Amino acid sequence: MPEESIEHIDFDELNKKAISQPLVTHIYTADPSAHYFDGKIYIYPSHDVDAGEAFDDLGSHFAMEDYHVISMDTVDSEAVDHGVALHVKDVPWAERQMWAPDAAVKNGKYYLYFPAKAYDGIFRIGVAVSDTPTGPFIPEKEAIKGSFSIDPAVFEDEDGSHYMYFGGLWGGQLQRWRTGTFNADEPESPVAHLPADHEPALLPWVAKMADDMLQFSEKPKEISILDEKGNLLLAGDNERRFFEAAWLHKYKGTYYFSYSTGDTHFICYATGDSPYGPFTYRGRILEPVVGWTSHHSICEIKGKWYLFYHDSSLSKGATHLRSIKMTVIEHQADGSITTIKPYMD
Ligand code: FUB
């Protein structure tokens, strides 16, 4: 939701109309990546803080330093904060901005995947390992080779293969990787290096994980998101094109790739027959929330599907101080997902 409309919001009224309330209120949390591991719900969010950084379109005000893992025994039970699971000061390669993370499990080990800016100012994706889903996580000394940009989301397919989806525009720097290497040319502006409106939109990326879950087993590939005619969505199609917050889930054999449209504030989805795509745009999962960003995950818990998302209602609209929430979502008989309105009319 654009910032200029926030000053007119009566937050007491809005919170009464919200379809769900923050899962935790003692800290600010965002970008919830939810998983059902061993019969329990684990949420891997960003931990929002006010670090006093100036607001800009590169997201410098998202100056997070650590991660907390949140767990819930059931969808109705209390959300428990397990404290600091990983701090940037313990990650040798990372300097700042611990943005949206995700996690995976394999052979009894838990892997926390996270983006952060390295000392050269370039976002990379790192991994940290633990014997428990709540950490603490021990980081690898270097970022994942060949990783770039932000918002890793790791999907486990039915055959046990894991795939990482990633990428994000503007502050997430995806536009600076168009030629395959980082374009260090000034200006460091969110809109420099972007395609023109009539050109195909920038695409998210995917790479299969190696057996050890610590590296990619292949060079990352772009994921096509097509319109109903089979054409790539265009950069000027701001209400449908990929911006950030990739997520993948599988429902009845179909792969659902969902993402945020960034500056138009929707969570959208596209479907396909392979974890590599192509995916065809299908519609919106979530209408705009309070706060500029929208970021979600989708998780099956005991046969029902849930959308985990965030908004800035608790902080009365501070876009960098968000709170994670959850609500049920439904797949219809034709495979479409019913659009959620986060606040009742
Ligand atoms: O939380 C920092 C950034 O904001 C995330 O990486 C983006 O997806 C957006 O939610």
Side-chain angles (χ1 to χ4, degrees):
M1 192 179 279
E3 232 114 318
E4 55 272 19
S5 26
I6 279 172
E7 57 201 60
H8 306 296
I9 294 176
D10 175 340
F11 281 97
D12 292 333
E13 274 308 302
L14 178 105
N15 286 331
K16 282 186 210 148
K17 291 182 180 171
I19 59 163
S20 54
Q21 296 303 319
L23 292 174
V24 290
T25 55
H26 65 294
I27 55 173
Y28 288 111
T29 51
D31 310 324
S33 291
H35 293 275
Y36 196 57
F37 291 148
D38 304 324
K40 208 166 156 170
I41 304 159
Y42 293 95
I43 310 168
Y44 298 85
S46 299
H47 173 201
D48 282 353
V49 286
D50 186 0
E53 297 289 336
F55 283 53
D56 62 26
D57 285 339
L58 290 166
S60 305
H61 44 298
F62 295 108
M64 297 86 100
E65 294 182 354
D66 63 16
Y67 297 109
H68 289 219
V69 181
I70 309 292
S71 74
M72 296 169 76
D73 286 337
T74 70
V75 292
D76 299 314
S77 57
E78 189 198 353
V80 176
D81 173 5
H82 294 269
V84 177
L86 179 69
H87 195 284
V88 69
K89 68 176 166 31
D90 297 321
V91 183
W93 63 268
E95 185 185 21
R96 61 200 157 104
Q97 288 178 295
M98 303 287 263
W99 284 13
D102 192 17
V105 61
K106 183 173 176 182
N107 298 336
K109 293 264 184 216
Y110 295 83
Y111 300 87
L112 179 70
Y113 298 96
F114 58 95
K117 266 191 189 152
Y119 287 89
D120 58 5
I122 300 176
F123 265 114
R124 304 277 179 188
I125 296 170
V127 56
V129 188
S130 175
D131 291 328
T132 73
T134 51
F137 289 87
I138 309 297
E140 290 291 290
K141 291 199 168 40
E142 289 178 14
I144 295 174
K145 272 190 213 70
S147 71
F148 54 91
S149 198
I150 59 164
D151 290 2
V154 177
F155 163 73
E156 181 179 357
D157 210 345
E158 281 154 301
D159 65 359
S161 305
H162 290 82
Y163 300 85
M164 182 187 288
Y165 299 81
F166 61 93
L169 305 190
W170 295 19
Q173 302 179 335
L174 192 57
Q175 66 279 2
R176 306 187 77 163
W177 289 92
R178 289 177 70 182
T179 57
T181 51
F182 186 77
N183 183 340
D185 289 351
E186 293 296 332
E188 186 170 16
S189 139
V191 290
H193 315 293
L194 283 172
D197 282 359
H198 66 276
E199 292 180 302
L202 292 179
L203 298 170
W205 291 75
V206 61
K208 194 171 187 174
M209 299 305 296
D211 279 347
D212 67 5
M213 300 291 277
L214 302 177
Q215 296 293 338
F216 297 150
S217 69
E218 60 186 0
K219 223 174 157 227
K221 301 170 171 56
E222 284 179 300
I223 302 168
S224 297
I225 306 178
L226 309 174
D227 66 14
E228 57 290 348
K229 293 185 179 140
N231 299 318
L232 285 169
L233 294 181
L234 298 183
D237 190 350
N238 299 46
E239 296 206 346
R240 298 193 298 174
R241 61 93 173 86
F242 172 81
F243 189 97
E244 62 187 4
W247 188 259
L248 196 101
H249 76 279
K250 195 176 184 181
Y251 176 76
K252 292 195 173 168
T254 295
Y255 295 86
Y256 286 70
F257 180 77
S258 49
Y259 56 94
S260 165
T261 60
D263 53 352
T264 49
H265 319 285
F266 300 113
I267 298 292
C268 291
Y269 71 107
T271 57
D273 297 327
S274 154
Y276 291 104
F279 297 103
T280 302
Y281 179 87
R282 296 286 294 272
R284 292 180 190 163
I285 297 176
L286 182 65
E287 297 287 353
V289 294
V290 171
W292 197 95
T293 67
S294 196
H295 191 127
H296 70 299
S297 63
I298 293 170
C299 182
E300 184 179 15
I301 301 162
K302 293 195 166 176
K304 275 189 159 183
W305 289 84
Y306 293 85
L307 177 74
F308 291 76
Y309 65 105
H310 68 223
D311 77 1
S312 296
S313 56
L314 184 66
S315 68
K316 297 197 177 346
T319 213
H320 63 311
L321 298 176
R322 302 159 290 178
S323 299
I324 56 169
K325 297 181 158 190
M326 68 186 285
T327 190
V328 173
I329 55 162
E330 279 170 20
H331 298 82
Q332 301 301 322
D334 65 356
S336 61
I337 295 177
T338 313
T339 309
I340 302 277
K341 284 184 176 179
Y343 315 99
M344 289 174 278
D345 292 329

